[in-house]
Amino acid sequence: MRITRLDANTVCLSELNGLVTELLRRVVPSADPGDNSAARARLYSAPTHDAEETEFLEDWEAYIEPELSKLFLSSRELIEADLQKLRIDPATGEGAICIPSSHIDGWIHGLNQARIALAARFDFTEDEMEGVIVPSTDGRAFALVQVYIYAGLQQLFLSQLEHD
Amino acid sequence: MAETVIEKESKTKTGADFPWNVVVHNDPVNLMVYVTHIFQTVFGFSRQKAEKHMLEVHRLGRSIVWTGARERAEAYVEQLHGHLLLATIEKSQ
């Protein structure tokens, strides 16, 4: 998995193996909290710990959370559209995708959404996140691999921003 | 302890004008490099200052990243939530 600048306006991810290409396709569904209460609670966390701030909390829920929801959706839609350009080399089985560099922020955001929603949905412990404990089921283990791979992708994209 | 940005206010410290802190809390999912990047983006911090606050969050569980008027503090918390950081507003001591 590597990232390169094709030109000033284009960034390419290449040498993507089968697992990574499959996980790329799962970014958007993983980032969407759907009806999962744990994922929703984490994506829409409280803006204050003061229980007496009822009016502020009500206003936040009524006016700010819908705006946050639109923002989160926009990142997922951007990634979904970019993924239409994912190509698999039939000879090697490796995937590659080129995206506009102006989409890097959207990818970083969408990957972060996916990591946070997955971690909340599966309620990963810190020991699991740090690799001290191996998850007890295949489903948990796979989700944890997703979180790790998405972190790697986030770091690749962040490294590109540093070069801008 | 990382340096905190304090906005100078000429208004009286009552009600909504009381100084408010924007606090960022630790979570085990957000990457340290990502948190640093967001602090630079939202607050315009230098890399060094952003890393100081990020490490304070990581080691102490929280960092006061900005102090000032209520309305602006709310706007910062909204921006931080937009980047999926755990952020809250609280009265400054």
Side-chain angles (χ1 to χ4, degrees):
Chain A
M1 183 164 70
R2 59 183 296 205
I3 192 164
T4 50
R5 283 265 176 183
L6 187 63
D7 55 46
N9 302 313
T10 314
V11 170
C12 296
L13 284 172
S14 58
E15 299 176 14
L16 306 172
N17 65 28
L19 174 63
V20 175
T21 55
E22 174 57 28
L23 294 185
L24 281 178
R25 293 190 179 99
R26 295 189 187 208
V27 170
V28 172
S30 299
D32 186 349
D35 294 329
N36 186 277
S37 57
R40 292 195 70 80
R42 175 57 189 85
L43 289 176
Y44 302 100
S45 63
T48 175
H49 292 160
D50 185 349
E52 292 181 5
E53 290 246 32
T54 51
E55 191 178 340
F56 175 47
L57 288 165
E58 285 169 6
D59 285 349
W60 186 274
E61 192 176 341
Y63 302 109
I64 306 300
E65 288 189 3
E67 293 304 313
L68 292 174
S69 179
K70 285 181 202 167
L71 177 69
F72 299 160
L73 177 62
S74 70
S75 295
R76 299 200 300 271
E77 288 177 339
L78 178 144
I79 291 173
E80 195 160 38
D82 280 347
L83 281 173
Q84 302 300 315
K85 293 175 251 172
L86 177 64
R87 295 289 174 261
I88 309 295
D89 182 337
T92 64
E94 288 185 341
I97 181 172
C98 291
I99 63 167
S101 48
S102 59
H103 289 191
I104 289 177
D105 275 324
W107 272 82
I108 291 169
H109 194 280
L111 288 163
N112 209 44
Q113 269 186 70
R115 296 179 67 247
I116 282 175
L118 282 165
R121 199 176 281 130
F122 284 86
D123 193 23
F124 288 128
T125 64
E126 268 198 80
D127 281 348
E128 284 175 316
M129 291 292 295
E130 291 172 7
V132 177
I133 292 176
V134 176
S136 55
T137 65
D138 288 349
R140 276 182 86 75
F142 188 80
L144 194 56
V145 168
Q146 273 186 278
V147 172
Y148 286 147
I149 297 287
Y150 295 163
L153 286 164
Q154 265 192 299
Q155 286 176 321
L156 284 179
F157 283 124
L158 283 164
S159 71
Q160 287 301 306
L161 288 183
E162 282 182 5
H163 295 150
D164 285 344
Chain B
M1 182 72 95
E3 186 185 343
T4 301
V5 177
I6 300 177
E7 186 184 69
K8 290 180 180 173
E9 286 289 315
S10 58
K11 296 173 186 172
T12 53
K13 295 179 180 178
T14 57
D17 293 324
F18 198 91
W20 293 85
N21 294 331
V22 174
V23 184
V24 174
H25 305 267
N26 190 38
D27 78 76
V29 184
N30 278 314
L31 300 172
M32 293 164 86
V33 64
Y34 175 76
V35 174
T36 301
H37 169 68
I38 297 307
F39 286 167
Q40 290 180 275
T41 303
V42 172
F43 297 105
F45 288 171
S46 65
R47 175 68 172 264
Q48 187 181 24
K49 188 171 179 178
E51 284 180 344
K52 268 187 179 178
H53 282 285
M54 177 277 292
L55 287 171
E56 195 170 68
V57 172
H58 182 65
R59 290 171 182 159
L60 304 178
R62 54 178 264 148
S63 177
I64 297 169
V65 290
W66 189 85
T67 299
R70 169 82 188 210
E71 193 175 344
R72 198 157 167 207
E74 287 182 14
Y76 277 136
V77 170
E78 181 181 346
Q79 280 189 69
L80 293 168
H81 279 225
H83 292 292
L84 292 164
L85 267 55
L86 289 173
T88 56
I89 187 172
E90 68 177 25
K91 277 182 188 168
S92 180
Q93 296 295 321

